[in-house]
Amino acid sequence: QVQLVESGGGLVQAGGSLRLSCVASGRTFTSYSTGWFRQAPGKEREFVATITWSSGNIYYAYYADSVKGRFTISRDNTKNTVYLQMNSLKPEDTAVYYCAAVRGVPVQRGPNGYDYWGQGTQVTVSS
């Protein structure tokens, strides 16, 4: 069992920055892949970024086209924490952001590829 808790959301003006954190507790492993998703009102949950584990403890980062070049995902295994640094925020980034995890390699990029989820943190970007 893994529990995930997000923090760092809030209200920011367009062009500003936020850093989201996700702390994992319970049974955690270096072989877990972790990701960030977001869901805006009336829309389905969408992929934002992931750090995907591979054999040999090699990690690969992937980003949605909509955030590439603006967001950076990272993780600190000693702290059981994954981060999402968000720069140059736009109003269309407004959503509830969720962190997620799965042991090993996710079977798909979307939400169905992950087993464990946090409660979400609200990010609101004003124009």
Side-chain angles (χ1 to χ4, degrees):
Q1 299 292 330
V2 176
Q3 296 178 349
L4 306 174
V5 179
E6 304 99 328
S7 63
L11 175 64
V12 65
Q13 292 184 337
S17 299
L18 286 173
R19 188 179 74 159
L20 306 183
S21 299
C22 176
V23 179
S25 61
R27 303 296 183 182
T28 61
F29 305 89
T30 59
S31 58
Y32 269 62
S33 295
T34 56
W36 287 95
F37 294 79
R38 66 188 183 186
Q39 188 166 19
K43 297 184 178 181
E44 295 185 353
R45 192 167 300 185
E46 66 174 350
F47 167 79
V48 175
T50 184
I51 292 182
T52 300
W53 173 89
S54 184
S55 61
N57 287 332
I58 302 298
Y59 297 90
Y60 297 89
Y62 301 94
Y63 299 91
D65 289 341
S66 59
V67 306
K68 192 173 299 181
R70 299 188 298 121
F71 292 9
T72 303
I73 188 171
S74 61
R75 61 189 285 174
D76 185 340
N77 289 338
T78 65
K79 298 180 179 180
N80 293 321
T81 302
V82 61
Y83 304 95
L84 185 68
Q85 178 66 47
M86 305 184 294
N87 298 326
S88 302
L89 283 163
K90 305 174 181 179
E92 50 263 45
D93 295 318
T94 296
V96 177
Y97 283 71
Y98 300 88
C99 66
V102 63
R103 190 172 186 179
V105 181
V107 298
Q108 59 176 281
R109 184 70 57 83
N112 289 339
Y114 294 81
D115 294 327
Y116 305 100
W117 292 85
Q119 83 290 345
T121 184
Q122 177 70 48
V123 172
T124 303
V125 184
S126 63
S127 60

